[in-house]
Amino acid sequence: MHLPHETAEQGAAGYEAARHGAGASGAERPRVLDRREGPHGEVVLRRHGGLLQIIANGCFLMDTSDGRSERLLVRAALEELDALGGRPAPAVLIGGLGVGFSLAEAAAEPRWGRITVVEREEAIVDWHLDGPLGESAAELGTAGALADPRVRIVRADLLAHLADGGEPYDALCLDVDNGPDWTVTEDNASLYSPAGLAACARRLTPGGVLAVWSARPSPAFGEALRNAGFTRVRTEEVPVVRGVPDVIHLATRPA
């Protein structure tokens, strides 16, 4: 369910809490902790009951209610690498810092080597380094992740980073939208286009894994991955209390 801009302030938190069975009462008014305007539009951090929520351009992006599927995004990529024979100290790129669950999953796994997080919203990085998301890190299970010596934060647009011709990655774990069919900004759609998928493939090592988080299944995206030359295309689902399950799209660059 995509909540339009005019209803996001009233409804996004209650919808997502209900969907995941989380604990913010729909009768409570969410409280805005910070609101920033940047080159990609408005980004807001709110508190709603015990939850912290990120709203981008009026679209509910994520909250601190669960994190299972965000952690699975990274875990499934490593399991797929293992299924293909494994490799020592694989390098992973996490597209989107969000509330920190995917990064925490990577930092908790000693087998990962280089861990790069690409986040284009300065505000989100600030909220982790010196703000409410950092202050809540211990209770969220994300404490210490940013301080891990393997971790590097890149403040950039994801597609620009993929196109810069830098070091390759063994896994790309992308969570920058609500899914390929539900982007936060219109320009993000290019990430899931043939050109965007080609950029992903170029930054992956042979046999590397692409993992993409989505709030709902996208058969069309699975077909796009196959058309882009990826193999072992499949999905893993994470059931939620109400509605369709969260989905991790997985695909492999041919060796």
Side-chain angles (χ1 to χ4, degrees), residues 65-252:
S65 64
D66 192 342
R68 286 178 300 156
S69 57
E70 291 92 337
R71 292 178 183 274
L72 177 63
L73 177 70
V74 175
R75 191 166 62 253
L78 184 59
E79 290 172 353
E80 192 72 358
L81 287 173
D82 287 344
L84 293 164
R87 55 190 70 190
V92 59
L93 177 148
I94 297 172
L97 176 57
V99 298
F101 290 134
S102 295
L103 171 58
E105 179 69 25
E109 173 52 69
R111 289 190 292 159
W112 287 116
R114 182 164 43 97
I115 302 171
T116 302
V117 181
V118 179
E119 174 56 64
R120 72 181 186 179
E121 296 291 352
E122 293 278 349
I124 291 178
V125 179
D126 291 347
W127 295 334
H128 280 274
L129 293 176
D130 187 27
L133 287 170
E135 293 163 3
S136 301
E139 64 185 86
L140 296 176
T142 59
L146 282 173
D148 190 302
R150 299 170 295 168
V151 172
R152 178 173 70 112
I153 301 295
V154 176
R155 304 185 191 214
D157 179 79
L158 177 59
L159 261 179
H161 178 76
L162 291 172
D164 73 5
E167 292 181 282
Y169 299 95
D170 300 294
L172 303 178
C173 298
L174 309 185
D175 182 9
V176 295
D177 293 297
N178 283 322
D181 305 323
W182 186 356
T183 59
V184 175
T185 56
E186 288 186 8
D187 58 323
N188 274 11
S190 60
L191 176 62
Y192 313 103
S193 71
L197 294 178
C200 290
R202 285 193 297 270
R203 288 304 292 271
L204 280 169
T205 57
V209 174
L210 173 63
V212 179
W213 189 94
S214 180
R216 58 192 178 201
S218 175
F221 182 58
E223 187 64 22
L225 288 166
R226 294 182 184 92
N227 291 339
F230 285 92
T231 61
R232 296 175 62 90
V233 176
R234 63 185 180 86
T235 59
E236 288 200 15
E237 296 185 349
V238 180
V240 297
V241 173
R242 299 179 188 175
V244 297
D246 293 340
V247 169
I248 309 299
H249 291 273
L250 291 161
T252 301

